[in-house]
Amino acid sequence: MFFSKNQRVKKSFIKILVNHFTSSSSSINNKSLKIKDVLKETRDKLNTCSNKSIVDSSDLDSRLLVSDLLGFQDSKSILLLNRKQEIDSQQYEKLQSFINKRLQSEPISYILGYKYFWKHKFNCNSSTLIPRPDSEILIETILELKNEIDIKRVLDLGTGTGCLLLSVLDEIKDSQGFGIDQSNDALDVAKQNSIDLQLSTRSTFINANWNDINQFPVLEPFDIIISNPPYISFDEYNTLNDTVKKFEPKSALIAKENGLQDYRIIGSLIRSRKLLNPNGFIVFEIGKDQHLDIENIMKDFGFTLYLSKKDLSGIIRCLIFK
């Protein structure tokens, strides 16, 4: 049969496409999908990343990604499996999309959609900061304050995922909590977390901005006020890893006045709106070497430093005011 030149070109192009997809499918089907091999392949791919922090965490990240793929709650569980067990081709393809996102510096918690904090798993996405282990010092501190005050009402300013507020409510069974955030998307995440932890009847989430005191809701005084406000300076922000700069919400990280502005605004808000009970405590998370400045700021509003706490790195990370 005679084919015109255009027909021959078209036929050759179709043949190339068929061969490409056949060989691609065949390579996946013939590829070893044993867990031990998939873990090694994932780690090796992550080790090619230009972002050193991802290379440094490649072993943990590979276990987290593969464990999530297989539905394990604990990444260590995968090490106890028969590592000759295989994953299917659909799981393998999903894993490749995970790897590609990680190679673009996307945080592992955003890829998975959650992060463990304190005793529970919290949903998170790019509308919220990722819960961090250093923040757990705030929960430890509040539990110590139970000896000083009967904690019934808790306010969380800048609640994000709700991890701080909900962890406190989970520990103090007869307490009620209010979480404030300017982002409705973040509040949706916090509300879902409250449902998942069966704390929705004891928690209320409100959209508000502490920069607008006149529009801030009228609330009865609280026994504990928690806040992990933006405290990173513009200069420090520029030094952060791409996993933070490219993905986490900038508005939840940066503050003017060298990272101190929001402490001043919150101190003014608490004082003017009488949000703190006479025997109550304010519990702040702070940045490195900010403790003296924040102590002076809060002193201007009539609050005195009660206690300071260091994080896992030995940095003063938590200040408590009365």
Side-chain angles (χ1 to χ4, degrees):
M1 182 181 293
F2 176 75
F3 293 93
S4 69
K5 182 177 179 181
N6 286 341
Q7 286 176 316
R8 290 198 301 273
V9 170
K10 184 176 181 182
K11 184 176 181 182
S12 298
F13 180 67
I14 292 172
K15 185 176 181 180
I16 290 170
L17 284 177
V18 170
N19 287 339
H20 169 75
F21 285 112
T22 302
S23 63
S24 175
S25 173
S26 175
S27 67
I28 291 174
N29 291 332
N30 293 333
K31 179 183 284 290
S32 171
L33 298 179
K34 292 183 176 64
I35 288 177
K36 66 180 182 67
D37 297 321
V38 171
L39 278 169
K40 182 180 184 303
E41 179 187 332
T42 302
R43 184 172 60 251
D44 290 347
K45 287 182 176 180
L46 294 179
N47 278 330
T48 67
C49 187
S50 58
N51 188 329
K52 186 177 182 300
S53 73
I54 291 173
V55 173
D56 291 342
S57 65
S58 61
D59 186 59
L60 174 60
D61 287 355
S62 62
R63 285 190 281 114
L64 286 169
L65 293 174
V66 177
S67 295
D68 183 77
L69 200 68
L70 297 173
F72 293 119
Q73 297 294 317
D74 181 0
S75 64
K76 294 180 181 177
S77 301
I78 201 167
L79 301 177
L80 304 176
L81 279 177
N82 177 357
R83 286 156 68 91
K84 293 182 179 180
Q85 179 181 333
E86 296 191 356
I87 66 173
D88 62 41
S89 57
Q90 283 187 328
Q91 290 173 317
Y92 181 80
E93 290 296 333
K94 185 177 180 182
L95 177 62
Q96 301 318 297
S97 72
F98 285 173
I99 294 170
N100 289 335
K101 288 180 179 181
R102 190 60 174 148
L103 289 173
Q104 296 300 313
S105 292
E106 185 167 344
I108 198 82
S109 297
Y110 288 164
I111 296 171
L112 300 178
Y114 62 83
K115 177 67 181 287
Y116 283 94
F117 178 83
W118 195 243
K119 296 179 180 179
H120 296 288
K121 180 169 79 171
F122 288 88
N123 301 303
C124 62
N125 60 34
S126 58
S127 70
T128 69
L129 289 182
I130 297 168
R132 287 170 167 79
D134 283 340
S135 297
E136 293 184 351
I137 188 63
L138 276 70
I139 310 301
E140 293 176 12
T141 300
I142 291 169
L143 295 181
E144 291 177 12
L145 294 175
K146 282 172 58 180
N147 299 323
E148 306 293 328
I149 185 175
D150 186 18
I151 300 174
K152 295 293 187 182
R153 286 172 54 81
V154 182
L155 175 63
D156 183 10
L157 294 171
T159 195
T161 62
C163 66
L164 293 173
L165 178 65
L166 296 173
S167 295
V168 171
L169 297 184
D170 184 60
E171 292 286 353
I172 305 175
K173 302 302 182 184
D174 57 348
S175 60
Q176 295 282 330
F178 288 75
I180 305 290
D181 207 288
Q182 66 176 341
S183 166
N184 278 313
D185 290 337
L187 290 173
D188 287 341
V189 175
K191 289 173 185 175
Q192 186 57 55
N193 283 327
S194 73
I195 293 169
D196 292 347
L197 298 176
Q198 300 181 354
L199 292 169
S200 59
T201 60
R202 294 170 49 208
S203 55
T204 301
F205 294 97
I206 302 170
N207 178 243
N209 188 334
W210 58 59
N211 288 291
D212 190 349
I213 292 180
N214 293 329
Q215 296 297 319
F216 198 84
V218 176
L219 298 168
E220 294 296 318
F222 293 89
D223 304 305
I224 295 287
I225 298 176
I226 321 166
S227 189
N228 177 15
Y231 57 69
I232 295 174
S233 68
F234 287 92
D235 288 342
E236 185 180 357
Y237 180 80
N238 291 329
T239 70
L240 297 178
N241 194 277
D242 281 349
T243 57
V244 177
K245 284 193 296 187
K246 287 186 176 181
F247 294 93
E248 297 201 58
K250 189 174 182 179
S251 61
L253 291 165
I254 297 179
K256 296 178 181 178
E257 297 181 33
N258 205 30
L260 299 171
Q261 182 188 59
D262 287 277
Y263 295 102
R264 193 180 310 282
I265 295 170
I266 290 171
S268 174
L269 174 70
I270 295 172
R271 174 56 64 198
S272 63
R273 286 301 188 90
K274 298 180 172 59
L275 292 176
L276 190 67
N277 275 328
N279 295 322
F281 294 94
I282 302 166
V283 181
F284 279 145
E285 178 168 331
I286 69 168
K288 184 179 180 182
D289 297 331
Q290 291 181 329
H291 53 287
L292 295 179
D293 288 325
I294 294 171
E295 182 179 355
N296 288 329
I297 288 171
M298 296 303 286
K299 191 180 296 182
D300 289 341
F301 297 106
F303 300 108
T304 58
L305 183 66
Y306 178 77
L307 192 65
S308 63
K309 291 279 191 173
K310 295 180 179 180
D311 66 13
L312 300 171
S313 302
I315 296 168
I316 294 178
R317 185 66 65 188
C318 176
L319 295 183
I320 303 91
F321 294 91
K322 284 181 65 74

